[in-house]
Amino acid sequence: FPFRFDPVFRPLLAVLGVRPSTAWVVVTGRELLIRYGPWRLRTDRANVTGVEVSGPYRWWRAIGPHVSMVDRGVSFGSSTAGGACLRFGVPVPALAPAGWLRHPAATVTITDPPALARLLAGPDPS
């Protein structure tokens, strides 16, 4: 699943190393992998306990990597149009070095949030 990029934010995100070639979500039979420029999130597919399609977002809350001060969820944003919030049974590392900060959820602004939600809501193929 490629990230959706709003044209106005592409230059700023490119400075952070976030480009279409370095931002994607992959779901395999066993894993969920998120790459957002230099940041990575990897967890077992079974650790995804819920998916919610959301948006649109305010640009200052959506663009770039963010950590929610409310629940420590991580956001990887490249568009204000909308995204998918993935909830985890066991919080996972993503932003901080050495994994000391763990996130109970991740929001990704991919091009087709409903398709990701359908895929993750389906039966685990493993």
Side-chain angles (χ1 to χ4, degrees):
F1 295 89
F3 273 70
R4 176 189 312 267
F5 281 82
D6 290 350
V8 69
F9 301 116
R10 282 182 101 148
L12 170 67
L13 292 169
V15 169
L16 297 174
V18 180
R19 300 175 194 83
S21 63
T22 65
W24 38 258
V25 175
V26 171
V27 178
T28 70
R30 295 179 185 217
E31 288 186 307
L32 167 74
L33 310 161
I34 299 172
R35 180 169 180 199
Y36 184 75
W39 296 279
R40 311 261 193 308
L41 184 153
R42 170 179 258 150
T43 190
D44 290 340
R45 184 175 174 169
N47 192 34
V48 179
T49 59
V51 181
E52 177 184 325
V53 175
S54 60
Y57 309 121
R58 294 181 179 106
W59 73 265
W60 61 88
R61 291 189 177 187
I63 302 303
H66 294 279
V67 175
S68 168
M69 296 302 168
V70 175
D71 69 356
R72 295 183 339 273
V74 64
S75 294
F76 296 122
S78 55
S79 173
T80 60
C85 178
L86 314 173
R87 304 242 175 248
F88 307 119
V90 176
V92 297
L95 286 183
W100 63 267
L101 179 61
R102 295 181 171 262
H103 310 283
T107 297
V108 292
T109 58
I110 56 172
T111 57
D112 193 349
L116 178 61
R118 285 190 303 273
L119 176 64
L120 290 170
D124 185 348
S126 59

